[in-house]
Amino acid sequence: MAEILASARGRRKSATANVKLFPGSGEITINGRPILDYLKRETLVMIVEQPLTVTETAGQFNIVASTKGGGLSGQAGAVRLGIARGLLALNEDLKTPLREAGLLTRDAREVERKKPGRPGARKRFQFSKR
């Protein structure tokens, strides 16, 4: 395999992604499978490819990501952050477009824990007056 140009880690919700950028033709692989085969939804593929379209570097790198934890949406967000950080490690000039698109900010939202005496984090059981 070719020499690694950059590697970075991205996180979202409870998902973690380790991303490696190689010189290549633009293939993206997640957990050993092609991106559309793994993520299954076109919108999630668009989310992952956002840093490449913003920086106009699509087709210049082959990207290999390994993800664990969370669901497909969280993993897609984690890969997106990993790609953005990898591109930034390669070229500091890309910081402005990535920052303006909001791709360098880690989405800190996590699932709120369930509280005792309630069916969920905030939901209450149905109130009965009589």
Side-chain angles (χ1 to χ4, degrees), residues 6-58:
S7 66
R9 172 175 285 151
R11 292 189 187 97
R12 177 152 197 279
K13 294 186 177 181
S14 59
T16 305
N18 292 312
V19 179
K20 294 181 180 80
L21 277 70
F22 299 93
S25 58
E27 294 176 30
I28 302 175
T29 310
I30 301 177
N31 290 350
R33 290 161 58 188
I35 185 169
L36 190 57
D37 188 38
Y38 185 80
L39 293 177
K40 297 180 179 74
R41 292 198 299 267
E42 199 63 49
T43 52
L44 294 179
V45 173
M46 285 170 43
I47 286 171
V48 169
E49 292 173 344
Q50 236 180 338
L52 300 171
T53 53
V54 166
T55 58
E56 297 170 3
T57 54

Side-chain angles (χ1 to χ4, degrees), residues 34-111:
I35 185 169
L36 190 57
D37 188 38
Y38 185 80
L39 293 177
K40 297 180 179 74
R41 292 198 299 267
E42 199 63 49
T43 52
L44 294 179
V45 173
M46 285 170 43
I47 286 171
V48 169
E49 292 173 344
Q50 236 180 338
L52 300 171
T53 53
V54 166
T55 58
E56 297 170 3
T57 54
Q60 294 180 22
F61 305 105
N62 285 348
I63 297 168
V64 176
S66 61
T67 61
K68 62 182 177 196
L72 292 179
S73 175
Q75 289 184 356
V79 172
R80 178 177 84 167
L81 180 59
I83 291 172
R85 286 178 173 172
L87 289 171
L88 185 64
L90 276 177
N91 186 355
E92 283 290 323
D93 298 338
L94 300 176
K95 186 170 188 168
T96 307
L98 288 170
R99 175 69 63 199
E100 286 174 355
L103 299 175
L104 294 176
T105 307
R106 198 261 200 226
D107 191 348
R109 295 176 296 171
E110 295 283 337
V111 176

